[in-house]
């Protein structure tokens, strides 16, 4: 089972993490256009400021969770755990696809928080909990 995990799950998990990170960075770079596209036609500076701050906070949190997950993955804490790999692959590939559609089709900015809550938060929290249980509690 370890050979199958190393042959397929590890590279797939790494690639989906990088794909999600890449699309988040692209979205962060294009945040001005995204925010303007999801505001009403007669928006004011206050509306723009609130939405751009909300978008920066959300994207930064997602990048932070991916960073935590990459550190745990690269350090070997969860690299050979098949359940964590499958869960991470599913969440990050779904997030990459949804964020790509959101970026190209100019979805509403509030939908980002649904994508974040379903695809970025759970694997990041799982990685934190698993690292805590392995390092502090010395349990597997």
């Amino acid at each position: 089972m370890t050979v199958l995990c190393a042959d397929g799950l590890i590279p797939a998990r790494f690639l989906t993490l990088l794909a999600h990170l890449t699309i988040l960075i692209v979205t962060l770079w294009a945040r001005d256009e995204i925010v303007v596209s999801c505001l009403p036609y007669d928006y004011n500076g206050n509306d723009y400021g609130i939405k751009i701050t909300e978008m920066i906070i959300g994207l930064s949190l997602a990048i932070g969770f991916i960073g935590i997950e990459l550190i745990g993955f690269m350090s070997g804490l969860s690299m050979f755990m098949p359940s964590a790999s499958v869960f991470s692959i599913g969440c990050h590939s779904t997030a990459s696809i949804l964020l790509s559609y959101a970026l190209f089709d100019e979805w509403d900015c509030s939908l980002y928080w649904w994508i974040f809550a379903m695809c970025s938060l759970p694997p990041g929290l799982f990685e934190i909990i698993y690292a805590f249980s392995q390092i502090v509690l010395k349990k597997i």
Side-chain angles (χ1 to χ4, degrees):
M1 184 66 179
T2 307
V3 174
L4 291 174
C5 180
D7 284 346
L9 290 179
I10 293 172
R13 182 176 179 190
F14 181 72
L15 290 174
T16 56
L17 276 167
L18 287 184
H20 189 187
L21 181 63
T22 303
I23 195 71
L24 283 171
I25 292 171
V26 168
T27 305
L28 190 62
W29 279 342
R31 68 184 178 270
D32 292 329
E33 293 84 14
I34 294 168
V35 168
V36 169
S37 70
C38 70
L39 285 171
Y41 183 70
D42 57 344
Y43 71 91
N44 58 20
N46 190 28
D47 294 337
Y48 177 79
I50 290 170
K51 282 290 188 183
I52 198 79
T53 304
E54 179 182 318
M55 188 64 108
I56 290 172
I57 289 171
L59 293 170
S60 300
L61 283 172
I63 290 171
F65 278 124
I66 288 178
I68 290 170
E69 197 169 351
L70 275 171
I71 290 170
F73 176 70
M74 294 299 224
S75 67
L77 285 175
S78 64
M79 183 181 286
F80 298 106
M81 188 176 169
S83 60
S85 294
V86 169
F87 184 65
S88 178
I89 290 167
C91 286
H92 292 297
S93 61
T94 303
S96 298
I97 292 167
L98 289 176
L99 285 174
S100 296
Y101 275 118
L103 187 63
F104 290 124
D105 290 343
E106 297 178 350
W107 288 359
D108 188 19
C109 295
S110 62
L111 292 176
Y112 171 75
W113 289 104
W114 285 99
I115 298 170
F116 173 78
M118 301 302 272
C119 300
S120 295
L121 189 63
L125 290 178
F126 182 76
E127 188 72 35
I128 292 169
I129 291 168
Y130 188 72
F132 179 78
S133 70
Q134 253 193 341
I135 294 170
V136 176
L137 302 177
K138 305 285 188 221
K139 294 180 182 178
I140 293 179

